[in-house]
Amino acid sequence: SGLSEYTYTTRTDCFCPPEYTAPVDIDVQDGQVLAVTFADPAFTGDVPDAQRFTTIDELFDVVQDGIDRGAYSIRAEQFGYPVEVFIDYEAMMADEEQGFRITDVRF
């Protein structure tokens, strides 16, 4: 869409500790992630592995990676951008599934 400045809220879906699945705000400036902060005031401190978060454009790459790697199952909903994505890479492996949801985009 050509947008280079926005903020979005997302949460990761995985079998991970709560600080990894807590909602976070992603601030994007000039097409780069500028800051990642917890959206829920119950969580304080730094977001673990903040570099794992990307711009919205790069989220399409996550879906493409699942396709390229031959994931067992991919569920993706979009509204001009990925709104909810869930990828199960291996049918016979437990707890390796991963996904994310975007709940709010602000320009």
Side-chain angles (χ1 to χ4, degrees):
S1 67
L3 294 173
S4 63
E5 296 186 10
Y6 55 89
T7 299
Y8 73 96
T9 303
T10 186
R11 84 173 273 178
T12 302
D13 293 326
C14 64
F15 293 98
C16 306
E19 60 272 12
Y20 280 83
T21 61
V24 294
D25 288 328
I26 313 298
D27 293 316
V28 176
Q29 297 289 323
D30 297 322
Q32 302 290 320
V33 173
L34 181 67
V36 179
T37 55
F38 286 113
D40 183 341
F43 291 89
T44 59
D46 294 332
V47 173
D49 298 323
Q51 73 280 359
R52 65 190 157 109
F53 295 99
T54 67
T55 66
I56 288 177
D57 284 342
E58 293 170 318
L59 294 176
F60 288 102
D61 295 338
V62 173
V63 177
Q64 187 62 52
D65 180 65
I67 294 167
D68 293 346
R69 291 174 50 192
Y72 170 72
S73 173
I74 300 172
R75 184 181 68 233
E77 295 180 34
Q78 68 173 2
F79 184 70
Y81 55 86
V83 174
E84 184 172 354
V85 172
F86 189 80
I87 301 174
D88 184 356
Y89 286 94
E90 299 288 334
M92 301 305 288
M93 186 180 296
D95 300 343
E96 48 64 61
E97 304 90 355
Q98 61 182 344
F100 61 86
R101 283 184 206 137
I102 294 178
T103 56
D104 189 22
V105 178
R106 300 170 300 283
F107 304 101

XYZ file of all heavy atoms in Angstrom:
848
model
N 0.814 -1.204 0.000
C 0.000 0.000 0.000
C 0.853 1.263 0.000
O 0.323 2.345 -0.126
C -0.940 -0.019 1.194
O -0.198 0.084 2.392
N 2.149 1.115 0.203
C 3.015 2.281 0.183
C 3.062 3.049 1.491
O 3.722 4.078 1.569
N 2.366 2.593 2.525
C 2.409 3.284 3.808
C 3.743 3.014 4.480
O 4.219 1.883 4.512
C 1.279 2.803 4.718
C -0.130 3.139 4.237
C -1.153 2.469 5.131
C -0.337 4.643 4.241
N 4.345 4.059 5.020
C 5.638 3.873 5.668
C 5.630 4.292 7.137
O 6.610 4.072 7.834
C 6.719 4.645 4.914
O 6.451 6.032 4.962
N 4.509 4.874 7.612
C 4.413 5.296 9.009
C 3.060 4.872 9.567
O 2.022 5.337 9.098
C 4.603 6.802 9.125
C 5.979 7.241 8.696
C 6.229 8.713 8.956
O 5.404 9.363 9.634
O 7.260 9.211 8.478
N 3.094 3.999 10.567
C 1.876 3.504 11.193
C 2.241 2.739 12.459
O 3.419 2.443 12.712
C 1.084 2.603 10.238
C 1.894 1.448 9.689
C 1.946 0.233 10.362
C 2.613 1.576 8.505
C 2.708 -0.815 9.869
C 3.359 0.539 8.007
C 3.411 -0.660 8.694
O 4.161 -1.691 8.208
N 1.237 2.417 13.233
C 1.383 1.577 14.418
C 0.336 0.483 14.324
O -0.789 0.748 13.902
C 1.167 2.396 15.710
O 2.151 3.430 15.762
C 1.279 1.527 16.948
N 0.723 -0.727 14.689
C -0.272 -1.799 14.748
C -0.083 -2.614 16.008
O 1.000 -2.652 16.584
C -0.247 -2.663 13.488
C 0.924 -3.605 13.316
C 0.822 -4.939 13.697
C 2.101 -3.186 12.726
C 1.875 -5.819 13.507
C 3.154 -4.052 12.526
C 3.042 -5.374 12.923
O 4.085 -6.249 12.730
N -1.174 -3.209 16.463
C -1.154 -4.067 17.640
C -1.288 -5.502 17.176
O -2.128 -5.810 16.327
C -2.312 -3.710 18.597
O -2.204 -2.329 18.953
C -2.271 -4.561 19.858
N -0.445 -6.349 17.716
C -0.470 -7.754 17.342
C -0.235 -8.614 18.574
O 0.275 -8.139 19.586
C 0.588 -8.061 16.257
O 0.437 -9.407 15.807
C 1.998 -7.875 16.777
N -0.629 -9.857 18.440
C -0.298 -10.831 19.474
C 0.093 -12.117 18.784
O -0.470 -12.486 17.764
C -1.400 -11.002 20.486
C -2.491 -11.953 20.129
C -3.438 -12.166 21.254
N -2.900 -13.233 22.065
C -3.439 -13.666 23.165
N -4.510 -13.112 23.629
N -2.906 -14.651 23.833
N 1.075 -12.776 19.332
C 1.598 -14.019 18.793
C 0.817 -15.182 19.386
O 0.527 -15.198 20.585
C 3.091 -14.157 19.138
O 3.780 -13.033 18.601
C 3.676 -15.429 18.585
N 0.472 -16.146 18.542
C -0.174 -17.372 19.001
C 0.854 -18.493 18.913
O 1.279 -18.864 17.815
C -1.374 -17.720 18.115
C -2.504 -16.718 18.252
O -2.685 -16.187 19.362
O -3.190 -16.461 17.258
N 1.285 -18.983 20.070
C 2.233 -20.087 20.110
C 2.171 -20.701 21.510
O 1.545 -20.152 22.407
C 3.646 -19.617 19.784
S 4.354 -18.444 20.973
N 2.821 -21.830 21.673
C 2.941 -22.444 22.982
C 4.193 -21.871 23.630
O 5.248 -22.499 23.659
C 3.000 -23.969 22.854
C 1.714 -24.543 22.366
C 1.540 -24.856 21.031
C 0.658 -24.744 23.239
C 0.345 -25.363 20.568
C -0.542 -25.253 22.792
C -0.700 -25.566 21.456
N 4.061 -20.631 24.112
C 5.183 -19.846 24.626
C 4.789 -19.229 25.966
O 3.610 -19.155 26.299
C 5.517 -18.717 23.652
S 5.824 -19.218 21.962
N 5.765 -18.721 26.716
C 5.450 -18.014 27.954
C 4.585 -16.784 27.673
O 4.613 -16.231 26.567
C 6.824 -17.601 28.484
C 7.795 -18.503 27.817
C 7.194 -18.847 26.483
N 3.822 -16.332 28.666
C 2.889 -15.206 28.476
C 3.529 -13.938 27.926
O 2.904 -13.212 27.153
C 2.318 -14.960 29.875
C 2.519 -16.227 30.613
C 3.734 -16.875 30.020
N 4.768 -13.658 28.296
C 5.394 -12.431 27.794
C 5.673 -12.505 26.288
O 5.878 -11.483 25.642
C 6.669 -12.080 28.568
C 7.749 -13.116 28.518
C 7.647 -14.193 29.606
O 6.618 -14.289 30.291
O 8.620 -14.947 29.739
N 5.640 -13.700 25.716
C 5.804 -13.859 24.267
C 4.467 -13.751 23.521
O 4.450 -13.491 22.325
C 6.461 -15.191 23.930
C 7.952 -15.179 24.097
C 8.529 -15.379 25.343
C 8.783 -14.948 23.015
C 9.898 -15.358 25.507
C 10.163 -14.922 23.169
C 10.709 -15.129 24.426
O 12.065 -15.092 24.573
N 3.373 -13.992 24.220
C 2.061 -13.961 23.570
C 1.249 -12.712 23.932
O 0.158 -12.528 23.415
C 1.243 -15.220 23.925
O 1.035 -15.268 25.340
C 1.958 -16.482 23.463
N 1.777 -11.878 24.801
C 1.082 -10.647 25.196
C 0.974 -9.708 23.997
O 1.871 -9.664 23.152
C 1.841 -9.955 26.323
N -0.115 -8.958 23.888
C -0.249 -7.996 22.788
C 0.855 -6.940 22.841
O 1.234 -6.489 23.925
C -1.615 -7.354 23.029
C -2.308 -8.201 24.026
C -1.269 -8.949 24.775
N 1.357 -6.588 21.670
C 2.389 -5.554 21.575
C 2.003 -4.544 20.499
O 1.274 -4.859 19.562
C 3.777 -6.146 21.252
C 4.289 -7.003 22.398
C 3.767 -6.927 19.962
N 2.489 -3.335 20.683
C 2.341 -2.284 19.679
C 3.642 -2.198 18.898
O 4.730 -2.128 19.485
C 2.059 -0.929 20.338
C 0.661 -0.845 20.917
O -0.259 -1.472 20.355
O 0.492 -0.149 21.939
N 3.517 -2.194 17.579
C 4.656 -2.091 16.687
C 4.592 -0.727 16.021
O 3.639 -0.429 15.299
C 4.622 -3.183 15.582
C 4.318 -4.556 16.148
C 5.897 -3.146 14.742
C 5.311 -5.087 17.109
N 5.581 0.117 16.265
C 5.657 1.433 15.636
C 6.584 1.344 14.435
O 7.748 0.940 14.574
C 6.192 2.488 16.612
C 5.225 2.760 17.744
O 4.024 2.892 17.466
O 5.673 2.855 18.899
N 6.063 1.720 13.273
C 6.829 1.681 12.029
C 7.001 3.110 11.520
O 6.031 3.860 11.422
C 6.118 0.801 10.972
C 6.862 0.839 9.648
C 5.962 -0.628 11.478
N 8.244 3.471 11.236
C 8.587 4.788 10.682
C 9.505 4.570 9.498
O 10.449 3.775 9.578
C 9.294 5.651 11.723
C 8.453 5.973 12.937
C 7.334 6.942 12.631
O 7.497 7.858 11.832
N 6.200 6.753 13.252
N 9.247 5.256 8.414
C 10.073 5.129 7.202
C 10.228 3.673 6.768
O 11.305 3.256 6.330
C 11.447 5.773 7.407
C 11.349 7.270 7.654
O 10.487 7.914 7.009
O 12.106 7.794 8.482
N 9.165 2.880 6.945
C 9.167 1.495 6.510
C 9.999 0.557 7.359
O 10.250 -0.582 6.963
N 10.430 1.000 8.545
C 11.237 0.187 9.449
C 10.592 0.142 10.825
O 10.001 1.130 11.266
C 12.647 0.778 9.595
C 13.409 0.908 8.301
C 13.812 -0.436 7.732
O 14.208 -1.331 8.463
N 13.693 -0.593 6.421
N 10.723 -0.993 11.518
C 10.212 -1.088 12.885
C 11.068 -0.196 13.773
O 12.285 -0.371 13.863
C 10.225 -2.547 13.385
C 9.843 -2.608 14.863
C 9.285 -3.402 12.550
N 10.423 0.769 14.385
C 11.113 1.728 15.246
C 11.067 1.293 16.713
O 12.053 1.419 17.436
C 10.492 3.113 15.087
C 11.095 4.239 15.902
C 12.506 4.524 15.424
C 10.240 5.483 15.778
N 9.911 0.774 17.142
C 9.754 0.396 18.545
C 8.729 -0.726 18.672
O 7.783 -0.808 17.889
C 9.308 1.598 19.373
N 8.958 -1.566 19.681
C 8.031 -2.643 20.032
C 7.803 -2.540 21.536
O 8.751 -2.643 22.319
C 8.610 -4.034 19.679
C 7.639 -5.128 20.077
C 8.965 -4.124 18.204
N 6.550 -2.292 21.937
C 6.229 -2.131 23.351
C 4.995 -2.946 23.701
O 4.143 -3.195 22.853
C 5.956 -0.652 23.689
O 4.921 -0.165 22.829
C 7.217 0.192 23.506
N 4.902 -3.363 24.955
C 3.716 -4.091 25.399
C 2.489 -3.184 25.304
O 2.530 -2.038 25.733
C 3.873 -4.580 26.836
C 4.805 -5.748 26.982
C 6.006 -5.619 27.661
C 4.476 -6.989 26.448
C 6.858 -6.689 27.808
C 5.322 -8.072 26.592
C 6.528 -7.923 27.265
N 1.401 -3.702 24.749
C 0.142 -2.959 24.665
C -0.653 -3.098 25.954
O -1.492 -2.266 26.266
C -0.687 -3.458 23.484
N -0.396 -4.144 26.700
C -1.102 -4.439 27.947
C -0.265 -3.902 29.111
O 0.873 -4.339 29.314
C -1.295 -5.951 28.070
C -2.075 -6.367 29.287
O -2.188 -5.586 30.262
O -2.583 -7.503 29.285
N -0.814 -2.972 29.900
C -0.035 -2.392 30.997
C 0.332 -3.402 32.089
O 1.184 -3.119 32.925
C -0.934 -1.283 31.546
C -2.289 -1.553 31.017
C -2.142 -2.376 29.783
N -0.260 -4.583 32.068
C 0.104 -5.610 33.047
C 1.514 -6.142 32.796
O 2.134 -6.725 33.681
C -0.897 -6.760 33.006
N 2.018 -5.934 31.587
C 3.369 -6.377 31.246
C 4.287 -5.162 31.231
O 3.962 -4.137 30.642
C 3.388 -7.059 29.874
C 2.685 -8.380 29.869
C 1.330 -8.453 29.601
C 3.379 -9.550 30.124
C 0.670 -9.662 29.604
C 2.735 -10.778 30.134
C 1.378 -10.834 29.866
N 5.416 -5.288 31.886
C 6.369 -4.189 31.946
C 7.732 -4.669 31.447
O 7.959 -5.863 31.280
C 6.501 -3.659 33.382
O 6.935 -4.728 34.222
C 5.180 -3.098 33.891
N 8.597 -3.741 31.229
C 9.938 -4.090 30.773
C 9.987 -4.237 29.265
O 9.074 -3.839 28.548
N 11.077 -4.815 28.815
C 11.294 -4.982 27.379
C 10.553 -6.199 26.851
O 10.444 -7.229 27.528
C 12.786 -5.140 27.088
C 13.577 -3.888 27.394
O 13.003 -2.780 27.324
O 14.780 -4.011 27.718
N 10.080 -6.098 25.625
C 9.443 -7.218 24.935
C 10.543 -8.210 24.561
O 11.538 -7.828 23.944
C 8.702 -6.724 23.668
C 8.180 -7.893 22.861
C 7.583 -5.770 24.043
N 10.391 -9.497 24.937
C 11.431 -10.466 24.591
C 11.550 -10.664 23.079
O 10.547 -10.719 22.377
C 10.978 -11.761 25.262
C 9.705 -11.487 25.955
C 9.304 -10.079 25.683
N 12.760 -10.759 22.607
C 13.038 -10.980 21.184
C 12.271 -10.005 20.291
O 11.648 -10.400 19.304
C 12.717 -12.423 20.780
C 13.568 -13.438 21.514
O 14.753 -13.147 21.745
O 13.056 -14.511 21.848
N 12.334 -8.738 20.621
C 11.574 -7.719 19.885
C 11.920 -7.698 18.400
O 11.089 -7.304 17.580
C 11.803 -6.343 20.498
N 13.101 -8.171 18.023
C 13.503 -8.164 16.618
C 12.687 -9.147 15.782
O 12.722 -9.090 14.553
C 15.006 -8.454 16.475
C 15.408 -9.882 16.730
C 15.533 -10.253 18.205
O 15.330 -9.421 19.083
N 15.848 -11.502 18.467
N 11.889 -10.012 16.420
C 11.054 -10.960 15.662
C 9.857 -10.274 15.014
O 9.215 -10.840 14.129
C 10.597 -12.114 16.547
C 9.672 -11.699 17.665
C 9.450 -12.842 18.666
N 9.039 -12.325 19.945
C 7.837 -12.448 20.441
N 6.917 -13.127 19.787
N 7.537 -11.943 21.616
N 9.548 -9.054 15.418
C 8.403 -8.329 14.877
C 8.817 -7.544 13.636
O 9.931 -7.036 13.557
C 7.791 -7.415 15.934
C 7.209 -8.189 17.080
C 7.910 -8.351 18.259
C 5.970 -8.801 16.953
C 7.384 -9.086 19.312
C 5.433 -9.538 17.998
C 6.141 -9.683 19.174
N 7.899 -7.454 12.684
C 8.210 -6.868 11.387
C 7.172 -5.823 10.999
O 6.186 -5.621 11.703
C 8.225 -7.959 10.299
O 6.890 -8.453 10.127
C 9.149 -9.101 10.656
N 7.399 -5.239 9.857
C 6.398 -4.354 9.274
C 5.242 -5.209 8.748
O 5.377 -6.428 8.585
C 6.981 -3.547 8.107
O 7.305 -4.446 7.040
C 8.219 -2.769 8.526
N 4.123 -4.579 8.469
C 2.983 -5.309 7.914
C 3.343 -5.918 6.566
O 3.003 -7.073 6.286
C 1.736 -4.409 7.835
C 1.193 -4.164 9.245
C 0.670 -5.027 6.937
C 0.005 -3.240 9.323
N 4.057 -5.187 5.722
C 4.455 -5.737 4.424
C 5.238 -7.030 4.590
O 5.058 -7.985 3.829
C 5.281 -4.730 3.630
C 4.436 -3.625 3.017
O 3.204 -3.802 2.914
O 5.018 -2.600 2.633
N 6.103 -7.086 5.576
C 6.922 -8.282 5.796
C 6.118 -9.454 6.337
O 6.568 -10.605 6.253
C 8.096 -7.953 6.712
C 9.098 -7.016 6.066
C 10.132 -6.478 7.033
O 9.773 -6.112 8.174
O 11.306 -6.422 6.636
N 4.924 -9.191 6.876
C 4.079 -10.290 7.353
C 3.626 -11.187 6.208
O 3.402 -12.381 6.391
C 2.879 -9.747 8.125
C 3.215 -9.047 9.439
C 1.946 -8.473 10.066
C 3.916 -9.978 10.405
N 3.497 -10.611 5.021
C 3.171 -11.442 3.862
C 4.270 -12.477 3.602
O 4.007 -13.575 3.125
C 2.953 -10.575 2.608
C 1.674 -9.790 2.641
C 1.675 -8.448 2.954
C 0.461 -10.407 2.344
C 0.486 -7.718 2.977
C -0.731 -9.688 2.363
C -0.722 -8.342 2.679
N 5.517 -12.118 3.950
C 6.634 -13.047 3.783
C 6.498 -14.257 4.700
O 6.952 -15.352 4.365
C 7.960 -12.347 4.056
C 8.265 -11.240 3.048
O 7.705 -11.274 1.925
O 9.057 -10.339 3.398
N 5.883 -14.072 5.863
C 5.659 -15.185 6.782
C 4.759 -16.226 6.128
O 5.027 -17.429 6.176
C 5.045 -14.688 8.111
C 4.643 -15.842 9.006
C 6.009 -13.750 8.822
N 3.692 -15.763 5.501
C 2.773 -16.673 4.809
C 3.494 -17.354 3.647
O 3.398 -18.573 3.474
C 1.515 -15.921 4.312
C 0.612 -16.852 3.524
C 0.766 -15.294 5.481
N 4.245 -16.575 2.887
C 4.968 -17.153 1.751
C 5.986 -18.188 2.221
O 6.177 -19.220 1.575
C 5.654 -16.056 0.937
C 6.291 -16.573 -0.346
C 5.263 -17.164 -1.304
O 4.267 -16.534 -1.621
N 5.498 -18.392 -1.752
N 6.625 -17.944 3.348
C 7.578 -18.908 3.898
C 6.890 -20.226 4.222
O 7.433 -21.306 3.950
C 8.258 -18.342 5.143
C 9.242 -19.317 5.740
O 10.251 -19.621 5.078
O 8.997 -19.788 6.873
N 5.688 -20.151 4.788
C 4.926 -21.371 5.067
C 4.621 -22.135 3.788
O 4.719 -23.368 3.744
N 4.268 -21.411 2.740
C 4.000 -22.047 1.440
C 5.278 -22.670 0.895
O 5.291 -23.839 0.489
C 3.419 -21.011 0.453
C 2.038 -20.551 0.917
C 3.359 -21.595 -0.959
C 1.522 -19.322 0.196
N 6.362 -21.907 0.905
C 7.637 -22.382 0.357
C 8.166 -23.601 1.102
O 8.783 -24.486 0.498
C 8.690 -21.273 0.392
C 8.373 -20.118 -0.544
O 7.491 -20.267 -1.428
O 8.995 -19.043 -0.375
N 7.926 -23.662 2.406
C 8.423 -24.791 3.206
C 7.453 -25.970 3.207
O 7.711 -26.974 3.856
C 8.689 -24.319 4.633
C 9.868 -23.372 4.705
C 10.097 -22.764 6.066
N 10.124 -23.716 7.145
C 10.089 -23.380 8.432
N 10.035 -22.099 8.777
N 10.108 -24.294 9.369
N 6.342 -25.848 2.492
C 5.385 -26.948 2.405
C 4.678 -27.238 3.711
O 4.481 -28.402 4.076
N 4.276 -26.198 4.420
C 3.587 -26.368 5.704
C 2.371 -27.270 5.544
O 1.682 -27.253 4.516
C 3.161 -25.013 6.257
N 2.099 -28.057 6.580
C 0.962 -28.964 6.589
C -0.350 -28.192 6.455
O -1.251 -28.590 5.726
C 0.983 -29.796 7.875
C -0.260 -30.596 8.109
C -0.537 -31.720 7.337
C -1.165 -30.225 9.091
C -1.696 -32.453 7.534
C -2.315 -30.951 9.304
C -2.579 -32.060 8.524
O -3.727 -32.782 8.731
N -0.451 -27.064 7.160
C -1.683 -26.290 7.154
C -1.358 -24.802 7.304
O -0.532 -24.434 8.137
C -2.582 -26.737 8.318
O -3.715 -25.910 8.438
N -2.018 -23.995 6.495
C -1.880 -22.539 6.601
C -3.274 -21.941 6.586
O -4.061 -22.220 5.682
C -1.071 -21.955 5.428
C 0.333 -22.552 5.380
C -1.013 -20.420 5.532
C 1.114 -22.161 4.148
N -3.578 -21.144 7.590
C -4.843 -20.406 7.623
C -4.487 -18.924 7.670
O -3.741 -18.485 8.547
C -5.648 -20.795 8.863
C -7.013 -20.130 8.892
C -7.814 -20.498 10.129
N -7.200 -19.923 11.312
C -6.874 -20.610 12.396
N -7.064 -21.898 12.459
N -6.327 -20.000 13.435
N -4.962 -18.179 6.706
C -4.644 -16.752 6.647
C -5.888 -15.968 6.262
O -6.554 -16.291 5.290
C -3.525 -16.500 5.641
N -6.191 -14.966 7.052
C -7.273 -14.038 6.738
C -6.642 -12.674 6.511
O -5.684 -12.312 7.181
C -8.262 -13.949 7.900
C -8.998 -15.247 8.168
C -9.973 -15.106 9.333
O -10.555 -14.021 9.506
O -10.121 -16.087 10.065
N -7.204 -11.937 5.573
C -6.641 -10.623 5.307
C -7.744 -9.585 5.133
O -8.882 -9.909 4.842
C -5.738 -10.654 4.085
C -6.464 -10.891 2.780
C -5.522 -10.729 1.600
O -4.339 -10.474 1.750
N -6.062 -10.868 0.425
N -7.331 -8.362 5.321
C -8.176 -7.199 5.101
C -7.271 -6.113 4.533
O -7.026 -5.102 5.156
C -8.822 -6.758 6.421
C -9.785 -5.622 6.270
C -10.999 -5.801 5.647
C -9.468 -4.372 6.759
C -11.882 -4.742 5.505
C -10.346 -3.305 6.633
C -11.548 -3.499 6.001
N -6.658 -6.415 3.388
C -5.645 -5.541 2.824
C -4.277 -5.805 3.427
O -3.265 -5.359 2.933
N -4.240 -6.484 4.527
C -3.026 -6.924 5.215
C -3.397 -8.200 5.969
O -4.581 -8.471 6.192
C -2.490 -5.843 6.173
C -3.511 -5.364 7.175
C -3.695 -6.031 8.384
C -4.299 -4.255 6.911
C -4.640 -5.602 9.302
C -5.242 -3.811 7.821
C -5.403 -4.486 9.008
O -6.345 -4.064 9.912
N -2.425 -9.006 6.353
C -2.776 -10.218 7.106
C -3.384 -9.848 8.462
O -2.765 -9.121 9.236
C -1.431 -10.927 7.299
C -0.524 -10.330 6.284
C -1.011 -8.918 6.077
N -4.587 -10.292 8.709
C -5.267 -10.008 9.976
C -5.042 -11.147 10.962
O -4.813 -10.921 12.147
C -6.781 -9.794 9.744
C -7.517 -9.640 11.060
C -7.019 -8.605 8.847
N -5.100 -12.365 10.457
C -4.863 -13.531 11.293
C -4.192 -14.600 10.449
O -4.648 -14.921 9.358
C -6.173 -14.067 11.865
C -5.978 -15.203 12.816
C -7.263 -15.609 13.536
O -8.294 -14.929 13.385
O -7.221 -16.615 14.243
N -3.092 -15.119 10.964
C -2.340 -16.157 10.272
C -2.006 -17.242 11.280
O -1.610 -16.946 12.418
C -1.041 -15.597 9.651
C -0.171 -16.711 9.106
C -1.363 -14.580 8.566
N -2.178 -18.486 10.859
C -1.808 -19.627 11.700
C -1.175 -20.667 10.795
O -1.768 -21.061 9.787
C -3.034 -20.200 12.420
C -2.673 -21.221 13.454
C -2.224 -20.839 14.702
C -2.772 -22.570 13.168
C -1.876 -21.782 15.660
C -2.441 -23.524 14.121
C -1.991 -23.124 15.362
N 0.033 -21.087 11.131
C 0.771 -22.042 10.304
C 1.158 -23.246 11.153
O 1.780 -23.099 12.210
C 2.028 -21.403 9.688
C 1.637 -20.190 8.836
C 2.804 -22.438 8.858
C 2.809 -19.395 8.299
N 0.787 -24.421 10.667
C 1.183 -25.691 11.279
C 2.156 -26.336 10.295
O 1.755 -26.802 9.232
C -0.044 -26.569 11.500
C 0.270 -27.865 12.227
O 1.457 -28.130 12.501
O -0.684 -28.611 12.513
N 3.423 -26.332 10.635
C 4.439 -26.821 9.705
C 4.473 -28.344 9.593
O 4.738 -28.880 8.521
C 5.825 -26.297 10.101
C 5.995 -24.839 9.781
C 5.747 -23.850 10.739
C 6.386 -24.423 8.524
C 5.897 -22.510 10.441
C 6.531 -23.080 8.209
C 6.285 -22.130 9.180
O 6.418 -20.794 8.866
N 4.216 -29.045 10.683
C 4.326 -30.511 10.702
C 3.059 -31.132 11.273
O 2.674 -30.837 12.403
C 5.522 -30.946 11.554
C 6.858 -30.440 11.063
C 7.313 -31.139 9.798
O 6.907 -32.283 9.556
O 8.093 -30.506 9.045
N 2.439 -32.032 10.518
C 1.191 -32.667 10.944
C 1.374 -33.510 12.203
O 0.508 -33.547 13.065
C 0.622 -33.528 9.821
N 2.492 -34.184 12.318
C 2.694 -35.144 13.407
C 3.523 -34.579 14.559
O 3.933 -35.328 15.438
C 3.361 -36.406 12.856
C 2.557 -37.089 11.753
S 0.862 -37.496 12.242
C 1.170 -38.844 13.344
N 3.766 -33.292 14.580
C 4.553 -32.689 15.650
C 3.648 -31.773 16.467
O 2.914 -30.959 15.910
C 5.733 -31.895 15.086
C 6.665 -31.378 16.161
S 8.061 -30.427 15.507
C 8.909 -31.682 14.572
N 3.711 -31.923 17.771
C 2.883 -31.105 18.662
C 3.613 -29.819 19.043
O 4.831 -29.799 19.192
C 2.536 -31.890 19.916
N 2.863 -28.774 19.191
C 3.304 -27.505 19.768
C 4.313 -26.718 18.932
O 4.952 -25.816 19.437
C 3.874 -27.722 21.174
C 2.860 -28.315 22.124
O 1.655 -28.257 21.815
O 3.260 -28.838 23.176
N 4.454 -27.017 17.636
C 5.338 -26.215 16.799
C 4.557 -25.219 15.971
O 5.136 -24.420 15.247
C 6.229 -27.082 15.903
C 5.534 -28.195 15.129
C 4.513 -27.776 14.104
O 4.824 -27.065 13.144
O 3.353 -28.160 14.267
N 3.240 -25.245 16.092
C 2.403 -24.319 15.344
C 2.689 -22.894 15.801
O 3.096 -22.665 16.931
C 0.913 -24.614 15.583
C 0.500 -26.011 15.260
C 0.614 -26.968 16.438
O 1.111 -26.558 17.518
O 0.233 -28.117 16.280
N 2.448 -21.957 14.905
C 2.622 -20.564 15.275
C 1.686 -19.683 14.458
O 1.245 -20.069 13.388
C 4.066 -20.113 15.083
C 4.556 -20.205 13.658
C 6.004 -19.785 13.548
O 6.552 -19.171 14.445
N 6.621 -20.100 12.439
N 1.408 -18.535 14.987
C 0.545 -17.613 14.276
C 0.553 -16.244 14.916
O 1.269 -15.998 15.889
N -0.250 -15.368 14.362
C -0.372 -14.025 14.921
C -1.719 -13.447 14.520
O -2.359 -13.904 13.578
C 0.769 -13.104 14.451
C 0.809 -12.897 12.961
C 0.048 -11.915 12.362
C 1.610 -13.695 12.167
C 0.078 -11.720 10.986
C 1.660 -13.514 10.791
C 0.889 -12.529 10.207
N -2.129 -12.427 15.262
C -3.342 -11.665 14.973
C -3.014 -10.186 15.056
O -2.327 -9.752 15.969
C -4.426 -11.941 16.016
C -5.111 -13.203 15.840
C -6.241 -13.341 16.852
N -6.388 -14.774 16.998
C -6.548 -15.407 18.112
N -6.647 -14.746 19.238
N -6.647 -16.701 18.141
N -3.534 -9.443 14.111
C -3.440 -7.985 14.180
C -4.811 -7.476 14.594
O -5.811 -7.796 13.966
C -3.019 -7.387 12.823
C -1.606 -7.828 12.492
C -3.132 -5.866 12.852
C -1.117 -7.325 11.162
N -4.847 -6.702 15.675
C -6.133 -6.257 16.189
C -6.400 -4.768 15.940
O -7.523 -4.327 16.083
C -6.226 -6.523 17.705
O -5.124 -5.893 18.367
C -6.217 -8.021 17.977
N -5.368 -4.025 15.577
C -5.582 -2.589 15.398
C -4.442 -2.004 14.564
O -3.276 -2.271 14.865
C -5.629 -1.908 16.776
C -6.065 -0.460 16.715
O -6.712 -0.071 15.738
O -5.757 0.273 17.665
N -4.787 -1.239 13.547
C -3.792 -0.522 12.761
C -4.138 0.961 12.824
O -5.285 1.337 12.606
C -3.768 -0.996 11.277
C -2.760 -0.191 10.477
C -3.481 -2.481 11.185
N -3.147 1.774 13.160
C -3.367 3.217 13.293
C -2.381 3.962 12.402
O -1.197 3.676 12.414
C -3.177 3.627 14.760
C -4.159 2.897 15.646
C -3.904 3.040 17.138
N -2.665 2.580 17.690
C -2.338 1.306 17.927
N -3.132 0.319 17.580
N -1.199 0.996 18.496
N -2.920 4.899 11.629
C -2.086 5.669 10.702
C -1.832 7.055 11.216
O -2.541 7.613 11.946
C -2.770 5.771 9.327
C -3.100 4.420 8.766
C -4.396 3.912 8.845
C -2.120 3.655 8.180
C -4.703 2.669 8.318
C -2.417 2.406 7.652
C -3.714 1.916 7.737
